[in-house]
Amino acid sequence: MFPKIITKKFSLRDRAALKSYIEETDEFIPYGNGRSYGDGALNENILHVKPYNNFLAFDEENGLLTCQAGVLLSEILDSVVKRGWFLKVTPGTKLITVGGAIASDVHGKNHHVEGCFSECVEEFSIMLPSGETEICKKGDELFYATCGGMGLTGVILSATISLKKINSKNIRQTTIKTKNLQETFEAFEKYQDMPYSVAWIDCLAKDEELGKCLLMVGDFADDGDLDYRSKKKLSIPFNFPSFALNNLSVKAFNWLYYAKAKDGTSKQKVDIDTFFYPLDAISNWNRIYGKGGFTQYQFILPKEHSYEGLKEILTKISDSGKGSFLAVLKLYGKANENYLSFPLEGYSLALDFKIEDGLFELLEALDEVVVKYGGRIYLTKDVRVSRETFEKGYEKIDKFREFRRENGMDKKLNSLQSKRVQI
Ligand SMILES: Cc1cc2nc3c(=O)[nH]c(=O)nc-3n(C[C@H](O)[C@H](O)[C@H](O)COP(=O)(O)OP(=O)(O)OC[C@H]3O[C@@H](n4cnc5c(N)ncnc54)[C@H](O)[C@@H]3O)c2cc1C
């Protein structure tokens, strides 16, 4: 794991106890299911929200679900898919809490169509540092500060979210194999009307093959098959030794993964878990990175600079030889009004890197390219970005800071991350 910190944990079970905890604790940060990659949910005192996890209401006719903030997206799917409903927006893991989804304003493979998670939030309730509880909707400043606000405005207690109607647990998936970055961009543009799209990039490919990918696009099937059951999990039983994951093993994996896909386009029907949540099928997958752990680097670049910026960044990565199995490229639609939400209209790349000598120097060099092209780094994946790089990417940061100061949030709610980048 990276970073490691010893914490004092308080489990949220009822509002009265939370009020006393807030009064008695100097400073803390809410913690959902710990699926954020960085230090945004870490502090010496963490408030564990996952035990606060009752379903409160379900309007089955209109697909409106109300639940406490500790409910996992997987628990929602277990009960709604069979009734013909799905999440409007879901990230690449269902093992996150509703509170965590709002606080990071997560997005999925359909941002270019549906936007972020906050777009499907009808309202939420939140306990503020004063101990008061407020109900909050779009249009309220507290809504814009809290969605994407990384737990720094208060403790989200419950939310009402709107769901998407489906008539199948299956996705009709088309895979497009491209030979370089130019073809990758052309394929994204060609399929931009498909509701879901995501590309796996071979980040060690060089020269004329730079940016080659497998682009997966899809939409829900209409076959009436709603018999959804979560897949059984495989498990990685121990930490891999540190030499197991290196430039050669990543190259071999990338070669095999790309080579086994058919040239041109191919079609198949896959279920929800295979399409949306491939990593959830393997428990403790992080152990392949060994004891030292790993970090994820995710940035986004405005559309007009995405091609040249990605070319520069992929060249730096392949020259460094620091490969990533997971290199995911996505197309994004317009930014929303939230103060710290990550998405903006353009392309984003997410890469997992083993923590090793020279990595942070490489990531600092990549930061320079991101800043040069007007991009930003995703806070929920971040563990190292400097205050300066962060501020250059988020133009509403001053509004957010002021809002926190005015409402006494900066005194009570802090994470290692908020202190590092001085939010
Ligand atoms: C395999 C994998 C794939 C992923 N794919 C995507 C993706 O496609 N898109 C994407 O956007 N993200 C993705 N993520 C990141 C993940 O969706 C977010 O980090 C999410 O916020 C984690 O939720 P959590 O419940 O685990 O919260 P935590 O990781 O525990 O906390 C995340 C943040 O939310 C705050 N928070 C949590 N609960 C509350 C609450 N009740 N009130 C106030 N603040 C709270 C915390 O303080 C912290 O700042 C992925 C993560 C993994 C592991």
Side-chain angles (χ1 to χ4, degrees):
M1 295 296 272
F2 184 86
K4 278 188 180 158
I5 169 179
I6 296 175
T7 57
K8 267 187 255 148
K9 184 174 99 174
F10 178 83
S11 290
L12 174 58
R13 296 192 197 275
D14 67 78
R15 288 184 187 209
L18 175 60
K19 208 169 170 184
S20 315
Y21 175 78
I22 292 180
E23 268 165 30
E24 288 156 15
T25 312
D26 287 341
E27 183 188 89
F28 70 97
I29 192 77
Y31 183 97
N33 201 28
R35 274 347 197 234
S36 49
Y37 286 71
D39 48 3
L42 297 180
N43 191 333
E44 275 171 28
N45 294 308
I46 59 172
L47 172 75
H48 200 209
V49 180
K50 202 172 108 187
Y52 197 65
N53 64 351
N54 287 312
F55 283 86
L56 302 175
F58 184 40
D59 171 353
E60 194 164 345
E61 211 160 295
N62 298 305
L64 285 175
L65 175 81
T66 306
C67 63
Q68 291 178 333
V71 168
L72 295 174
L73 300 188
S74 58
E75 292 165 338
I76 295 180
L77 295 180
D78 285 345
S79 61
V80 303
V81 173
K82 54 181 177 264
R83 297 181 163 93
W85 294 99
F86 187 66
L87 297 159
K88 275 194 180 152
V89 172
T90 178
T93 174
K94 56 183 176 172
L95 302 175
I96 70 163
T97 61
V98 168
I102 296 173
S104 297
D105 202 14
V106 298
H107 59 270
K109 297 174 170 64
N110 59 350
H111 186 273
H112 59 295
V113 182
E114 297 275 10
C116 287
F117 195 82
S118 58
E119 259 77 35
C120 72
V121 175
E122 300 290 317
E123 62 175 39
F124 60 81
S125 67
I126 180 166
M127 192 174 286
L128 301 172
S130 60
E132 279 164 63
T133 299
E134 276 199 26
I135 309 283
C136 192
K137 282 187 167 61
K138 271 187 206 100
D140 301 340
E141 188 169 19
L142 185 56
F143 186 96
Y144 299 127
T146 301
C147 299
M150 297 302 289
L152 297 168
T153 57
V155 182
I156 300 160
L157 294 170
S158 65
T160 299
I161 60 170
S162 61
L163 302 171
K164 169 193 170 88
K165 190 91 192 110
I166 52 169
N167 189 31
S168 177
K169 61 160 193 195
N170 297 311
I171 311 291
R172 287 179 306 234
Q173 175 181 308
T174 304
T175 304
I176 303 106
K177 190 171 181 174
T178 71
K179 296 199 180 76
N180 53 44
L181 195 59
Q182 182 71 38
E183 283 193 13
T184 298
F185 270 67
E186 283 164 11
F188 264 111
E189 298 298 320
K190 181 171 169 192
Y191 289 96
Q192 62 180 311
D193 292 336
M194 288 298 281
Y196 299 104
S197 63
V198 63
W200 167 85
I201 293 250
D202 181 350
C203 65
L204 287 178
K206 281 179 179 275
D207 306 324
E208 64 277 7
E209 294 197 332
L210 189 89
K212 69 180 182 182
C213 86
L214 300 178
L215 170 65
M216 272 77 74
V217 300
D219 192 5
F220 273 93
D222 189 24
D223 55 19
D225 176 5
L226 290 166
D227 184 19
Y228 170 73
R229 274 158 238 234
S230 284
K231 283 236 161 79
K232 281 221 174 88
K233 287 190 178 183
L234 296 171
S235 178
I236 306 272
F238 51 82
N239 287 319
F240 278 23
S242 59
F243 58 80
L245 194 79
N246 56 36
N247 186 16
L248 279 180
S249 54
V250 174
K251 249 192 187 142
F253 169 84
N254 286 2
W255 184 84
L256 268 175
Y257 191 63
Y258 184 79
K260 91 176 176 21
K262 279 198 200 128
D263 284 338
T265 59
S266 51
K267 290 184 187 295
Q268 63 189 129
K269 200 149 106 169
V270 295
D271 66 11
I272 285 171
D273 284 357
T274 309
F275 187 77
F276 291 103
Y277 313 116
L279 274 180
D280 289 350
I282 311 168
S283 299
N284 306 318
W285 52 265
N286 52 312
R287 288 180 172 166
I288 64 167
Y289 294 96
K291 265 204 235 148
F294 77 105
T295 190
Q296 186 167 104
Y297 186 73
Q298 182 166 5
F299 63 91
I300 189 159
L301 297 174
K303 209 163 187 185
E304 65 274 22
H305 297 305
S306 290
Y307 182 79
E308 49 188 335
L310 272 161
K311 200 165 171 186
E312 235 173 285
I313 285 180
L314 287 170
T315 305
K316 280 190 194 296
I317 294 170
S318 68
D319 287 351
S320 77
K322 291 193 191 307
S324 162
F325 286 118
L326 193 124
V328 174
L329 184 66
K330 285 190 228 165
L331 171 65
Y332 289 67
K334 292 211 179 335
N336 60 26
E337 289 184 55
N338 303 335
Y339 292 172
L340 294 186
S341 286
F342 167 71
L344 48 83
E345 192 164 11
Y347 285 86
S348 161
L349 183 65
L351 306 132
D352 282 358
F353 289 107
K354 182 169 90 169
I355 304 281
E356 59 182 344
D357 288 349
L359 175 67
F360 284 8
E361 288 80 353
L362 169 68
L363 299 184
E364 273 157 34
L366 304 188
D367 286 348
E368 282 176 24
V369 184
V370 172
V371 168
K372 179 170 86 179
Y373 289 112
R376 54 171 74 139
I377 306 289
Y378 195 5
L379 283 176
T380 207
K381 309 286 181 78
D382 169 62
V383 75
R384 44 147 293 278
V385 80
S386 69
R387 174 182 177 175
E388 205 190 354
T389 300
F390 161 71
E391 283 178 348
K392 285 186 178 149
Y394 288 85
E395 69 278 2
K396 295 185 194 141
I397 180 57
D398 287 339
K399 271 185 164 179
F400 186 76
R401 283 186 177 131
E402 204 182 309
F403 184 72
R404 262 172 49 85
R405 259 197 312 272
E406 276 170 5
N407 293 286
M409 295 156 178
D410 58 333
K411 303 259 154 32
K412 255 312 168 200
L413 291 148
N414 271 304
S415 60
L416 297 187
Q417 181 177 62
S418 73
K419 291 182 186 171
R420 179 164 46 81
V421 299
Q422 296 179 25
I423 297 182

